Amino acid sequence: MNAKLQRLRVFAHRHKNEFSYFWKYAIPAKFRLRKYRSRGVILLRLDLIGDCTMFTSSAAELRRFYQDRSMTVVCLSISRPVFERLGIFDKIICVDFKPHEVDYEKLAVLIEELRKEEYDLLLQPQASKYPLADILAAAIKCNRRIAIATNPGNSGVYWVRMVNFLYNRFIPVPKGNVSEFDYYGAFVRGVEGSDYQTTRPSLPYGEQHFIEGAYYVLYPGGSLSQKFWPAERFAELANHIYQRTGLRGVILGVSREQWVSDRLKAALDFRTAMWMIDLTGKTSIFDVIDIIGNAALVVSNDTSGVHIAAATNTPSVASAGGWFYGRFLPYHIEDVKPEDHLPLVAHTEMPCYYCNWDWVTVEARNQECLRRLNRGEVCECLEQISVEQMRSLVDQIIEEEAL
């Protein structure tokens, strides 16, 4: 009992600011008697670019279902270009801070903006949400709130139990190690009462104005350095692609990833280097969508680049580690069309797979990988993916697409 009380105290101290904001709005919201007269729908999607890109087709299906209503999406500022390019929402409201590092001054301004409008229905399809999502759900003026059942990882068990009363209905999550698309499908079917089947993500793209002639894309960076397949192996793959196709290569990424792009370029053969363009930190997300959409091939880590490739139906190859293997990559799509280019994925399964980035689990299963994580080095499950594995998948695309 004492141990449980101590855990509760730690939880309350850690979330004291979230507590204050949540309860300020949750009680009046839950016990409000008069209904709002709006028919509007508001969708919360507080995820990064790759996750939001994966969600595009399911978002489009929800928009189709509520086509006779106004529909607003609330997203992170970094992901706004995805929803702007998708072009299906009447209004986009942005969260200008990280959901796990809340800026409370900005949160107050955001809530003030959100409470200017009234809605009939709030949709919360994010299975691994942070407490911020529940705070916004409480603050938004709406009659009903529907959410997918929450995995406690990003919020904690106590928080999830505390806030669940806010929602009018929960849609059950699939069990086991399932794909993110399975969550999307379950949510849409639960909201619509339909037999909806998930499809390949989809984003419109236009002409790009950076590269002349045919080209392929390398995406050697990502959100965490521990998830980067070694840059020198990207270089080996680039040399191979040039030798087989003569295509110009294009490196994409954000400015903080310049170091990995530089390592890749330093390891290239002279001829390959002459035909390589480094656009790291020089493009917007809109540019990236257009560049990837017009590419012959994309080679990427498990990051937004491969999901944008899928959404623009560009052939792609990606390396995938074991932390969430099967959730984000490989894709599990229920309604695959013959013309769909889903990512081809290289991986090397290990006993420590499905660790969910839980370092206690990693320590119990793989001491070497824990050492790597602590030093900011690539995970062992990625280190074990060979150039030959990736090259085999690249060659498959070269032959199928006659590059």
Side-chain angles (χ1 to χ4, degrees):
M1 180 61 72
N2 288 338
K4 186 174 182 179
L5 285 173
Q6 180 60 27
R7 288 196 297 270
L8 284 170
R9 289 192 190 99
V10 171
F11 164 74
H13 178 74
R14 181 186 302 165
H15 293 289
K16 61 181 180 181
N17 290 324
E18 288 99 328
F19 269 134
S20 176
Y21 268 92
F22 178 77
W23 288 112
K24 177 180 178 180
Y25 297 104
I27 294 177
K30 190 63 179 178
F31 297 104
R32 178 183 172 84
L33 298 178
R34 184 180 67 85
K35 283 192 173 184
Y36 297 109
R37 301 180 69 177
S38 171
R39 297 186 70 247
V41 178
I42 187 164
L43 171 73
L44 301 187
R45 191 69 217 190
L46 308 183
D47 262 323
L48 297 177
I49 295 167
D51 304 71
C52 290
T53 300
M54 293 176 73
F55 185 64
T56 50
S57 290
S58 295
E61 170 59 21
L62 290 169
R63 171 74 276 194
R64 183 204 63 77
F65 186 72
Y66 292 112
Q67 59 187 301
D68 61 338
R69 303 192 189 197
S70 66
M71 197 166 186
T72 297
V73 63
V74 181
C75 64
L76 302 183
S77 294
I78 193 173
S79 302
R80 182 184 183 114
V82 173
F83 292 111
E84 283 193 9
R85 185 56 68 88
L86 189 58
I88 62 174
F89 293 103
D90 298 291
K91 187 175 182 179
I92 301 173
I93 298 175
C94 290
V95 178
D96 193 25
F97 50 85
K98 297 177 181 178
H100 57 286
E101 296 176 2
V102 177
D103 182 319
Y104 287 97
E105 290 185 5
K106 290 184 177 181
L107 176 59
V109 174
L110 172 63
I111 288 176
E112 184 178 355
E113 179 184 2
L114 287 168
R115 289 180 65 79
K116 290 177 182 178
E117 301 291 337
E118 298 175 355
Y119 303 91
D120 176 48
L121 178 63
L122 179 144
L123 300 177
Q124 169 55 273
Q126 191 175 352
S128 300
K129 56 182 169 59
Y130 286 94
L132 175 64
D134 299 308
I135 292 169
L136 297 184
I140 290 168
K141 297 177 179 179
C142 62
N143 295 321
R144 296 175 294 141
R145 297 169 177 83
I146 300 176
I148 195 162
T150 304
N151 293 327
N154 288 334
S155 297
V157 173
Y158 293 124
W159 177 272
V160 171
R161 290 175 181 171
M162 181 187 77
V163 303
N164 275 354
F165 82 96
L166 176 69
Y167 297 92
N168 299 88
R169 182 156 69 96
F170 280 103
I171 294 168
V173 297
K175 302 300 181 183
N177 295 309
V178 298
S179 169
E180 193 76 0
F181 293 104
D182 295 325
Y183 292 125
Y184 303 158
F187 185 78
V188 174
R189 286 188 291 270
V191 169
E192 297 182 356
S194 68
D195 58 357
Y196 167 75
Q197 291 191 313
T198 53
T199 58
R200 176 182 58 80
S202 182
L203 275 178
Y205 63 92
E207 295 182 16
Q208 60 82 24
H209 304 284
F210 290 83
I211 311 111
E212 293 184 3
Y215 61 92
Y216 71 96
V217 167
L218 296 173
Y219 223 106
S223 57
L224 291 171
S225 60
Q226 292 96 329
K227 296 170 66 175
F228 296 3
W229 194 55
E232 294 77 11
R233 298 185 193 177
F234 268 100
E236 285 189 59
L237 210 52
N239 292 333
H240 175 72
I241 293 171
Y242 178 74
Q243 290 167 8
R244 283 214 58 182
T245 69
L247 285 172
R248 184 181 296 278
V250 178
I251 304 172
L252 294 179
V254 297
S255 56
R256 68 174 180 273
E257 297 161 10
Q258 187 64 61
W259 66 273
V260 72
S261 299
D262 290 342
R263 284 182 61 177
L264 189 163
K265 290 185 294 182
L268 293 171
D269 289 346
F270 176 76
R271 286 188 177 182
T272 308
M274 292 290 292
W275 285 85
M276 186 67 65
I277 299 174
D278 184 5
L279 294 179
T280 305
K282 300 174 182 176
T283 56
S284 68
I285 298 302
F286 295 110
D287 295 329
V288 168
I289 294 169
D290 294 336
I291 291 169
I292 288 178
N294 287 281
L297 163 69
V298 173
V299 182
S300 177
N301 287 318
D302 178 4
T303 191
S304 59
V306 70
H307 301 303
I308 292 172
T312 57
N313 208 26
T314 301
S316 60
V317 172
S319 60
W323 44 87
F324 296 126
Y325 186 77
R327 180 170 177 183
F328 300 98
L329 288 172
Y331 277 19
H332 177 245
I333 302 294
E334 293 162 334
D335 183 13
V336 180
K337 305 295 193 298
E339 64 273 17
D340 285 346
H341 291 296
L342 302 184
L344 303 182
V345 179
H347 76 289
T348 300
E349 190 158 352
M350 301 179 67
C352 52
Y353 255 44
Y354 310 107
C355 66
N356 294 324
W357 281 114
D358 177 7
W359 289 22
V360 174
T361 302
V362 175
E363 182 177 20
R365 297 180 183 178
N366 191 331
Q367 289 285 332
E368 170 61 18
C369 199
L370 181 65
R371 182 192 67 80
R372 288 173 175 271
L373 288 172
N374 283 323
R375 293 166 61 103
E377 297 174 359
V378 63
C379 294
E380 191 176 12
C381 52
L382 276 182
E383 179 74 32
Q384 294 297 321
I385 299 173
S386 68
V387 173
E388 289 72 25
Q389 286 175 269
M390 294 283 281
R391 185 166 58 208
S392 174
L393 298 177
V394 166
D395 284 343
Q396 181 180 328
I397 291 175
I398 289 173
E399 292 162 10
E400 290 176 355
E401 302 297 316
L403 299 180

